[in-house]
């Protein structure tokens, strides 16, 4: 088992001031359990402080470090060097920004723009059901919760949206559909009709081609395609 790997990162760069794009190579010795966010830090510290990229928690919970590695969207904080070498069978990695929104600089994309589609489905309770008498919280039974609890683990990393082969212009995207489906299945939500209008609109679930690419790339292992299929069948109402 190798202790370190001699790797090359071929990173897509973009300078908005000059409106110039190029690919820059970074060569380094990397420990096998370093994550790709660690490699980005290493580049900033040792080779090039101008490389721009996004991250926040770096523990797979916020979804801000999503990038495309050798064609696959994933979280840079969850990809270990050794796993990447085995998965892609190479020590050369092409790193690109997600393609779900305009690039701001290097690996950073305009997340406000990306979130516009999620915001269209209103990923919050619009009209809460009244609380039962003498209760200060709305009870949800384990059986009710089991039907959709996995879908609530979405962190909006946009990996599924990037992998989706449906048009980014005509489809709101898998994560936006998932957010809408969660609220339809949530017994605390009373406003269902507005959500159905979005789900079955021209930008809704019928734009999905059922390739299951969303499920394949989801870092939280949510079967996104399953929930979208339920919506297509009209089987999401509790």
């Amino acid at each position: 088992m190798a202790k370190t790997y001699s790797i090359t990162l071929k990173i897509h760069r973009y300078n908005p001031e000059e409106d110039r794009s190029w690919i820059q190579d970074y060569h380094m010795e990397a420990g096998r359990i370093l994550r790709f966010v660690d490699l980005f830090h290493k580049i900033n510290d040792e080779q090039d402080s101008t490389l721009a990229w996004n991250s926040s928690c770096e523990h797979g919970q916020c979804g801000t470090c999503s990038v495309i590695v050798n064609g696959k969207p994933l979280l840079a904080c969850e990809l270990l060097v050794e796993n990447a070498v085995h998965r892609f069978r190479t020590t050369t990695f092409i790193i690109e920004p997600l393609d779900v929104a305009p690039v701001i600089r290097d690996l950073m994309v305009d997340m406000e723009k990306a979130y516009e589609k999620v915001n269209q489905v209103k990923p919050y309770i619009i009209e809460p059901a009244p609380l039962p008498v003498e209760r200060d919280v709305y009870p949800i039974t384990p059986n009710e919760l089991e039907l959709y609890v996995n879908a609530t683990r979405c962190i909006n990393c946009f990996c599924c949206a990037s992998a989706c082969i449906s048009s980014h212009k005509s489809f709101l995207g898998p994560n936006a559909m998932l957010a809408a489906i969660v609220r339809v299945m949530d017994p605390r939500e009373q406003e269902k009709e507005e959500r159905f209008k979005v789900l079955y609109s021209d930008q809704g679930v019928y734009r999905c081609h059922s390739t299951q690419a969303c499920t394949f790339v989801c870092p939280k292992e949510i079967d996104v395609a399953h929930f979208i299929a339920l919506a297509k069948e009209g089987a999401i109402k509790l």
Side-chain angles (χ1 to χ4, degrees):
M1 182 180 297
K3 292 183 178 179
T4 63
Y5 292 90
S6 298
I7 66 172
T8 299
L9 301 186
K10 303 175 81 68
I11 299 182
H12 282 236
R13 306 290 307 271
Y14 173 63
N15 183 330
E17 286 78 23
E18 300 176 355
D19 192 24
R20 184 170 72 93
S21 300
W22 73 102
I23 296 175
Q24 189 158 345
D25 290 358
Y26 298 96
H27 307 282
M28 68 183 76
E29 291 292 317
R32 64 186 183 87
I33 61 171
L34 286 185
R35 307 163 302 168
F36 272 52
V37 287
D38 298 321
L39 303 184
F40 298 157
H41 282 299
K42 191 175 176 68
I43 290 172
N44 285 154
D45 293 341
E46 301 174 1
Q47 299 188 39
D48 184 354
S49 62
T50 69
L51 176 66
W53 51 285
N54 265 331
S55 80
S56 184
C57 78
E58 298 190 3
H59 286 83
Q61 299 302 316
C62 71
T64 58
C65 64
S66 304
V67 291
I68 298 175
V69 178
N70 288 7
K72 182 177 180 181
L74 45 73
L75 297 181
C77 69
E78 291 193 334
L79 182 63
L80 302 182
V81 168
E82 185 169 74
N83 291 345
V85 170
H86 290 165
R87 177 187 296 181
F88 298 109
R89 299 182 179 180
T90 182
T91 54
T92 299
F93 303 98
I94 300 171
I95 317 292
E96 304 169 85
L98 293 187
D99 54 0
V100 297
V103 176
I104 296 174
R105 182 184 295 275
D106 298 338
L107 299 177
M108 301 174 64
V109 301
D110 186 346
M111 293 309 295
E112 287 191 12
K113 191 71 176 178
Y115 263 97
E116 286 180 0
K117 291 184 176 180
V118 178
N119 293 336
Q120 281 188 51
V121 307
K122 299 182 180 179
Y124 46 82
I125 295 175
I126 299 172
E127 185 180 345
L131 294 175
V133 177
E134 298 182 352
R135 297 291 297 267
D136 55 3
V137 296
Y138 191 97
I140 301 176
T141 68
N143 288 340
E144 288 175 326
L145 189 60
E146 186 179 359
L147 295 174
Y148 68 96
V149 67
N150 283 341
T152 66
R153 297 169 58 210
C154 176
I155 57 174
N156 277 318
C157 63
F158 290 89
C159 288
C160 61
S162 180
C164 180
I165 68 168
S166 299
S167 169
H168 291 174
K169 291 183 179 178
S170 59
F171 184 35
L172 288 174
N175 56 327
M177 291 295 93
L178 196 64
I181 291 167
V182 164
R183 291 303 169 217
V184 170
M185 300 181 79
D186 187 339
R188 297 170 301 174
E189 172 66 282
Q190 286 195 310
E191 179 51 76
K192 309 289 188 183
E193 292 305 316
E194 181 176 340
R195 301 199 178 281
F196 287 138
K197 287 180 181 177
V198 175
L199 280 172
Y200 302 120
S201 70
D202 289 342
Q203 293 181 293
V205 290
Y206 293 126
R207 290 286 182 181
C208 166
H209 292 271
S210 303
T211 64
Q212 302 185 44
C214 48
T215 297
F216 179 69
V217 301
C218 179
K220 308 308 288 184
E221 299 182 343
I222 302 169
D223 191 349
V224 184
H226 164 72
F227 285 100
I228 292 178
L230 289 179
K232 284 182 174 179
E233 295 174 358
I236 56 174
K237 189 174 182 180
L238 287 174

